[in-house]
Amino acid sequence: MKVKSLLTGVAALSLLGGAAFAQDRTVNVYNWSDYIDESILEDFTKETGIKVVYDVFDSNEVLETKLLAGGTGYDVVVPTGTFLARQIQAGAFSELDKSKLTNMGNMWKDIEERVEKYDPGNAYSINYMWGTTGIGYNVGKVKEILGEDAPVDSWDLLFKPENVEKLKDCGVFMLDAPTEMIPAALNYLGLDPDSKDPAEIEKAGDLLKTIRPSIQKYHSSEYINALANGDICVAVGWSGDVLQARDRAAEADNGVTVEYAIPKEGAQMWFDQMAIPADAPNMEEAHEFLNYIMRPDVMAKASNYVYFANGNKASQELLNEDVIGDTAIYPDEETVSKLYTTTPYSPKVQRVVTRTWTAVKSGQ
Amino acid sequence: MDEVHVAAPPRRSLGAWLLIAVPYFWLFLFFLAPFLIVFKISLSQTAIAIPPYVPTFDLAEGWQAFTDSLSEFSLENYVWLTEDALYWKSYVSSVSIAAVSTFLTLLIGYPIAYGMARSPQSWRPTLLMLVILPFWTSFLIRVYAWIGILKNEGLLNQLLLSLGLISEPLVILNTNLAVYIGIVYSYLPFLVLPLYASLERLDGTLLEAAEDLGCPSWKAFWKITVPLSLPGVIAGCFLVFIPAVGEFVIPDLLGGSDTLMIGKTLWVEFFNNRDWPVSSAVAVILLLILVIPIVLFQNQQQKMAEKEG
């Protein structure tokens, strides 16, 4: 440890010297909102002299639209796997120069293998965080309505009309993301969650339509506050977001207890990947930033802050117990084996999916 | 234009031409040019590329490439809009939501503007200020605040429950009613301001004359005040109706999942389907739906004015 800190000290000194020559080195990072411990950015600047211009978005769609319009001015962006795959196809990213990414060895092989589906050979991206899409619920209210043995660990809670009808008045939210909800419905029906067959997608749509009258709102971020405030009972949501709601409710001490469950039938696993746009103005700095992020201590700090699992094996021993030890964040082997991933839809199937989703939402 | 008026066109100096050129240049730069770009995209096809449609013009490839890509244009996207009932349902629903909201805004806005115009001269700047005051807070935050008021455990329900007026909380948030409330609240100043301007200019002696001649005041209001304030009413209603048709933020935040509005449909096309050509076609049709009736209406007005003149 001592040797290491001495070395970093020397490195920092020499880099500070370097920084004096190149005053204006910057890196423009575009990441999800509430997705990093800001001190990581400050430390990065201290060590490398590179100024971080940090900007945030809250949906993959917004990021994608900017990328496809071109000339974003960003050097590092963080799309989710399915979106990344299509963006690679569109030529939105520059291939990583792995000779500059010396910390690549810290990454978790299991995650890298799963990401192959979106980014073959992990040529364009590194994993930042990964998580699951499951069910967030208000423990007290759900048990009050459905009894002690409420199926909170199962999609039955949502997809069985007799359950969800009872929860209706208490409030049920669903993600406004067809790429999450249609695979979940397919999986519940025992079909391939990654199905591209319009007839099967239609079936998933029918299931979603039958429970539609009990869904108060389809939205991808409002459920965090709504769960935390006790305004709603159940929400389909992303792991880290529900855990944020859990912590907010605990902090507010308002008598609301929120829990997150990965349903036993399986849930979607997703990967947020850091990549460099093809027209990034600061390629060099972007690589330095990615390499810094892949340091075990940095990645551990990030996960300890946002309560999401990361794709960095070496960081695991530095994680807090309430992160690495929480099966909602790092699920056990058995749960992981039931998680599924999806691939992007072709434009034609995408239209079927979106149309089905609009029909579900609007009841038309 | 009428032939009689054209008979002796006034000679315009260079300065006058320049003066007219400025707004036309502005219109060209900020209306016509963007519109032509949108129109061009609406004739293209989607592609997984940057930008996500073909054809794109690249002047470096020469004239031949340019004319070749012209042949790739098609009206396919417009045909698609007619094939799926979703689009016209969205248009109809947007127009009706906007129309109802405009009517409600007028119902609330007219008494406000009337009251302001009839208030003592010294109060008016303060009252005017109060109408403008909400603009000092971000539109988004004001709409968000309504979530806190209208939700099941919100301020409104708590108040009504504690007064004993209701025994069950009213479900208002995430319904069309919430959208009406949001639109009426957000656009009220746009109606009140032009209406106030026309009511304030109203010649009070006309009302006095009516009264002297024995006309009851409600009748005087109906026969004099209302017709004379009509230009203000029309201007105000347009200012509410037009943005309300294309509204996205209010239905997204306050509306329910069955609130169908063209702004949301367009968002889905653009962001979820990544279908810039179809969303451009939706936008072009929306523009036509709004512009054509307004142009017809103005022509009608002009003709009527000329007849009276």
Side-chain angles (χ1 to χ4, degrees):
Chain A
M1 261 330 230
K2 222 172 189 178
V3 178
K4 197 183 155 202
S5 61
L6 186 72
L7 275 177
T8 29
V10 172
L13 265 181
S14 61
L15 278 165
L16 271 179
F21 287 101
Q23 274 294 330
D24 292 307
R25 294 186 74 199
T26 54
V27 60
N28 304 298
V29 181
Y30 196 40
N31 197 356
W32 293 78
S33 50
D34 294 322
Y35 213 28
I36 203 161
D37 182 344
E38 302 263 339
S39 71
I40 290 173
L41 307 176
E42 286 158 25
D43 291 347
F44 175 71
T45 305
K46 258 183 233 155
E47 274 190 34
T48 61
I50 299 171
K51 200 176 131 211
V52 183
V53 180
Y54 196 75
D55 202 357
V56 297
F57 58 90
D58 69 352
S59 83
N60 267 309
E61 282 82 4
V62 170
L63 167 63
E64 179 158 276
T65 304
K66 284 198 183 189
L67 283 173
L68 295 183
T72 58
Y74 295 117
D75 301 309
V76 175
V77 294
V78 194
T80 306
T82 42
F83 286 81
L84 175 90
R86 191 170 34 232
Q87 290 151 8
I88 290 174
Q89 212 183 328
F93 298 118
S94 146
E95 209 166 317
L96 299 177
D97 180 350
K98 295 209 174 149
S99 67
K100 288 177 187 152
L101 302 175
T102 51
N103 290 332
M104 205 78 184
N106 296 330
M107 300 308 279
W108 193 356
K109 292 283 168 292
D110 292 7
I111 298 296
E112 283 184 337
E113 270 167 33
R114 283 176 183 257
V115 169
E116 292 268 336
K117 206 171 187 176
Y118 311 109
D119 178 9
N122 289 259
Y124 291 91
S125 67
I126 61 158
N127 181 255
Y128 178 59
M129 300 280 171
W130 60 272
T132 51
T133 307
I135 297 177
Y137 60 99
N138 182 322
V139 181
K141 281 192 181 172
V142 167
K143 298 220 157 144
E144 188 187 308
I145 293 167
L146 291 178
E148 277 303 316
D149 53 351
V152 290
D153 62 340
S154 163
W155 285 111
D156 282 345
L157 187 70
L158 198 74
F159 287 135
K160 267 223 171 106
E162 66 255 38
N163 288 334
V164 78
E165 269 162 20
K166 287 178 201 147
L167 296 167
K168 180 189 173 185
D169 288 337
C170 180
V172 180
F173 271 33
M174 204 179 252
L175 286 173
D176 186 7
T179 50
E180 304 277 355
M181 295 317 307
I182 286 177
L186 283 167
N187 181 60
Y188 183 75
L189 290 171
L191 300 166
D192 176 10
D194 198 22
S195 173
K196 307 285 187 261
D197 176 2
E200 294 190 353
I201 291 168
E202 195 92 347
K203 275 186 203 161
D206 289 342
L207 172 63
L208 291 163
K209 268 182 220 169
T210 56
I211 60 161
R212 181 193 164 274
S214 306
I215 307 296
Q216 194 182 80
K217 189 159 196 176
Y218 298 86
H219 203 282
S220 300
S221 56
E222 261 176 39
Y223 66 94
I224 306 176
N225 273 326
L227 270 178
N229 295 340
D231 294 339
I232 60 170
C233 262
V234 175
V236 179
W238 289 302
S239 44
D241 283 354
V242 175
L243 296 173
Q244 256 184 51
R246 178 191 70 185
D247 292 350
R248 275 189 212 172
E251 269 167 39
D253 202 14
N254 53 2
V256 174
T257 316
V258 176
E259 283 295 346
Y260 175 74
I262 301 174
K264 59 174 188 254
E265 296 89 350
Q268 182 156 336
M269 190 181 190
W270 47 260
F271 307 88
D272 284 343
Q273 299 287 114
M274 285 193 163
I276 303 176
D279 54 2
N282 309 299
M283 288 284 177
E284 194 62 40
E285 289 78 3
H287 279 89
E288 275 186 56
F289 185 79
L290 292 191
N291 204 34
Y292 181 80
I293 287 289
M294 285 190 290
R295 251 173 49 182
D297 57 322
V298 174
M299 215 47 246
K301 197 175 186 183
S303 274
N304 284 336
Y305 185 83
V306 297
Y307 288 92
F308 274 106
N310 65 55
N312 194 309
K313 187 79 182 166
S315 77
Q316 290 183 2
E317 54 188 274
L318 302 168
L319 289 174
N320 291 343
E321 188 48 37
D322 68 338
V323 175
I324 189 80
D326 190 340
T327 51
I329 303 175
Y330 279 92
D332 52 39
E333 286 288 330
E334 200 204 328
T335 315
V336 168
S337 68
K338 283 192 198 130
L339 297 177
Y340 56 80
T341 52
T342 58
T343 53
Y345 298 110
S346 69
K348 216 172 157 189
V349 180
Q350 174 74 46
R351 183 165 282 291
V352 175
V353 167
T354 320
R355 190 66 191 82
T356 306
W357 186 242
T358 312
V360 168
K361 283 201 298 178
S362 61
Q364 304 272 344
Chain B
M1 230 186 240
D2 210 68
E3 295 257 341
V4 188
H5 293 286
V6 185
R11 279 179 172 273
R12 290 206 172 107
S13 67
L14 184 67
W17 278 114
L18 277 176
L19 205 62
I20 298 169
V22 171
Y24 273 99
F25 177 70
W26 220 241
L27 266 177
F28 174 79
L29 201 63
F30 293 111
F31 177 75
L32 193 62
F35 176 75
L36 288 176
I37 293 170
V38 169
F39 184 63
K40 187 239 143 188
I41 297 175
S42 77
L43 300 174
S44 316
Q45 274 93 46
T46 49
I48 297 183
I50 300 177
Y53 55 84
V54 284
T56 49
F57 294 144
D58 190 350
L59 290 178
E61 284 169 25
W63 185 248
Q64 186 59 41
F66 177 77
T67 50
D68 283 351
S69 58
L70 278 185
S71 64
E72 286 177 49
F73 282 147
S74 80
L75 291 170
E76 214 176 287
N77 297 314
Y78 291 93
V79 175
W80 167 260
L81 292 192
T82 63
E83 281 168 357
D84 194 331
L86 171 74
Y87 300 101
W88 68 260
K89 277 184 182 163
S90 306
Y91 284 123
V92 169
S93 148
S94 294
V95 168
S96 73
I97 287 179
V100 171
S101 313
T102 307
F103 178 72
L104 294 175
T105 313
L106 183 62
L107 226 51
I108 298 171
Y110 202 100
I112 295 177
Y114 188 77
M116 280 168 64
R118 289 282 158 277
S119 65
Q121 192 83 42
S122 58
W123 288 18
R124 290 184 200 173
T126 318
L127 292 173
L128 207 57
M129 197 64 209
L130 286 175
V131 172
I132 301 169
L133 205 62
F135 288 122
W136 290 17
T137 313
S138 149
F139 169 71
L140 193 63
I141 290 172
R142 283 184 286 132
V143 176
Y144 233 105
W146 276 101
I147 295 179
I149 297 172
L150 298 176
K151 67 181 183 182
N152 287 2
E153 284 84 22
L155 294 173
L156 182 68
N157 273 317
Q158 280 178 6
L159 181 74
L160 294 176
L161 282 169
S162 66
L163 290 176
L165 290 173
I166 51 170
S167 53
E168 282 279 300
L170 301 173
V171 179
I172 304 174
L173 188 63
N174 303 334
T175 66
N176 277 0
L177 180 60
V179 177
Y180 291 135
I181 294 173
I183 294 178
V184 169
Y185 163 77
S186 303
Y187 291 109
L188 193 60
F190 294 105
L191 187 121
V192 169
L193 293 177
L195 198 51
Y196 165 76
S198 72
L199 282 169
E200 199 201 17
R201 267 179 319 199
L202 199 120
D203 190 350
T205 55
L206 293 173
L207 291 170
E208 281 167 24
E211 219 166 300
D212 285 348
L213 296 170
C215 180
S217 56
W218 64 267
K219 205 170 177 184
F221 172 79
W222 198 244
K223 292 250 172 194
I224 297 167
T225 312
V226 170
L228 286 177
S229 66
L230 218 50
V233 170
I234 290 164
C237 285
F238 273 144
L239 282 176
V240 176
F241 180 76
I242 294 170
V245 172
E247 185 55 57
F248 168 72
V249 173
I250 296 171
D252 189 52
L253 289 179
L254 303 179
S257 48
D258 51 357
T259 306
L260 205 56
M261 282 192 83
I262 200 67
K264 277 174 86 177
T265 305
L266 201 145
W267 199 95
V268 167
E269 280 302 337
F270 193 76
F271 288 96
N272 291 10
N273 280 349
R274 285 166 299 281
D275 199 332
W276 293 20
V278 165
S279 55
S280 301
V282 171
V284 169
I285 300 289
L286 177 63
L287 191 80
L288 293 181
I289 288 177
L290 291 176
V291 166
I292 290 176
I294 291 167
V295 170
L296 289 179
F297 178 80
Q298 282 210 320
N299 271 355
Q300 183 71 21
Q301 287 277 308
Q302 217 159 18
K303 269 186 199 149
M304 273 175 44
E306 273 165 21
K307 244 185 221 163
E308 279 167 21

